[in-house]
Amino acid sequence: MTVFLLALGAACCLGLGFVLQQHAAQRAPKGDLLRWRLLLDLMRMPDWLLGIAFMIAGQVLSALALSQGEVTLVEPLLATNLVWAMLLARRITGTRLGRSGWIGVAMIALGVTAFIAAGQPQGGGPGVGPLRQWLVIGTVAGLALALVSAARRLPLFEEATLLALAAGLLYGLQDALTRATFDLIDQHGATAAFASWQPYTVIGIGVVGLLLVQSAFEAAPLRMSLPALTAAQPLAGIACAVGFLGDQVRITPAALAWQSAGMAAIVVGVVVLGRHPALPGAK
């Protein structure tokens, strides 16, 4: 129960933070897109700083959840951040939730429930060698880099979506490496853990992901970026957890079918909420 509460609290803080950050990023100069100067400009905006405070709180809560639960359990719960984002955006826009909003909320809730119930995520699987670990990490990082490269050749609206997808992939990888850091602390102590590369990679990914997310928020309305970010993060996190952390889910045909249906429902719910009029720029 503690893991569920921590993950849902993290999702709430992240969703609120994303809305506030996007509200500020829309006012930043377009010439700052994908430049570190963008973060310096945003630091002068109080609403962006409040959004960052919420995001940091969300990351701390998600780290605590990952320290006590498996990535394959926490990631689907973090996908509910879009629900909280829409609730705040609804207050800003004054738009009612309506039928489509409730459908999106129900799809995400049912998808999370179906995935967790069918997959029964648990850790303790056999360890993997460095080759497989770096293959998974390299694949995720390579996909993110390819998305950023492709985004630079597209109009701003499409660029925002690809940048958000890239950030989501990196955040999923960051979550898996956060879990790996806590595993190192449990097994070898904090000194040994912070002498390894994992915690510093977590910090580096967080900084790069922040630049990508703020650039996506600056480039286009929230509906073009947040759904992509929200959908990509759990998919990448679960792939990394199964790929090199030893997380296990049930692999019977029925379980796999329900897990696939659950993840599909989460993605559909994210897309439905992303198009809801409550989100700034949605139509």
Side-chain angles (χ1 to χ4, degrees), residues 136-146 169-170 173:
V136 174
I137 293 174
T139 299
V140 174
L143 286 173
L145 179 60
L169 292 177
L170 291 180
L173 176 59

Side-chain angles (χ1 to χ4, degrees), residues 11-274:
C12 176
C13 290
L14 290 172
L16 299 179
F18 287 148
V19 172
L20 292 170
Q21 290 167 42
Q22 196 273 340
H23 185 66
Q26 283 278 280
R27 306 195 302 272
K30 297 302 181 188
D32 288 353
L33 196 71
L34 285 178
R35 298 179 183 275
W36 295 110
R37 186 173 63 241
L38 171 62
L39 300 182
L40 297 177
D41 289 337
L42 290 173
M43 287 179 185
R44 302 186 181 98
M45 302 182 185
D47 49 348
W48 186 82
L49 293 175
L50 180 59
I52 289 296
F54 272 113
M55 189 180 75
I56 291 173
Q59 290 178 334
V60 170
L61 290 174
S62 66
L64 291 173
L66 289 166
S67 73
Q68 301 182 42
E70 312 309 327
V71 178
T72 45
L73 172 63
V74 174
E75 287 291 356
L77 295 171
L78 292 179
T80 63
N81 75 77
L82 185 60
V83 176
W84 303 103
M86 196 186 72
L87 291 177
L88 176 59
R90 174 179 174 272
R91 296 289 297 179
I92 295 174
T93 62
T95 305
R96 296 173 60 86
L97 193 61
R99 184 175 64 179
S100 65
W102 284 114
I103 289 174
V105 170
M107 292 291 286
I108 292 177
L110 291 174
V112 169
T113 301
F115 181 88
I116 293 174
Q120 297 181 6
Q122 57 183 341
V128 300
L131 178 60
R132 178 171 167 179
Q133 181 183 47
W134 286 109
L135 180 61
V136 174
I137 293 174
T139 299
V140 174
L143 286 173
L145 179 60
L147 286 170
V148 173
S149 298
R152 298 307 305 270
R153 298 189 291 271
L154 296 175
L156 285 180
F157 267 48
E158 289 80 0
E159 183 176 4
T161 301
L162 292 192
L163 291 178
L165 281 172
L169 292 177
L170 291 180
Y171 281 151
L173 176 59
Q174 182 188 42
D175 290 339
L177 291 176
T178 298
R179 175 66 199 188
T181 300
F182 280 109
D183 287 345
L184 285 173
I185 293 174
D186 290 340
Q187 296 167 12
H188 305 290
T191 301
F194 283 97
S196 65
W197 57 270
Q198 284 91 340
Y200 306 102
T201 305
V202 167
I203 295 172
I205 290 175
V207 173
V208 174
L210 180 64
L211 176 62
L212 293 178
V213 167
Q214 302 310 315
S215 295
F217 287 167
E218 180 191 21
L222 203 61
R223 67 181 175 87
M224 298 303 300
S225 54
L226 191 53
L229 173 66
T230 303
Q233 182 172 350
L235 295 175
I238 291 170
C240 290
V242 174
F244 64 81
L245 285 182
D247 277 20
Q248 295 177 314
V249 292
R250 294 174 62 194
I251 56 174
T252 64
L256 289 174
W258 277 106
Q259 290 169 57
S260 299
M263 290 307 300
I266 292 173
V267 172
V268 171
V270 164
V271 172
V272 170
L273 287 186

Side-chain angles (χ1 to χ4, degrees), residues 1-19:
M1 180 59 70
T2 300
V3 174
F4 280 86
L5 293 177
L6 287 171
L8 290 176
C12 176
C13 290
L14 290 172
L16 299 179
F18 287 148
V19 172

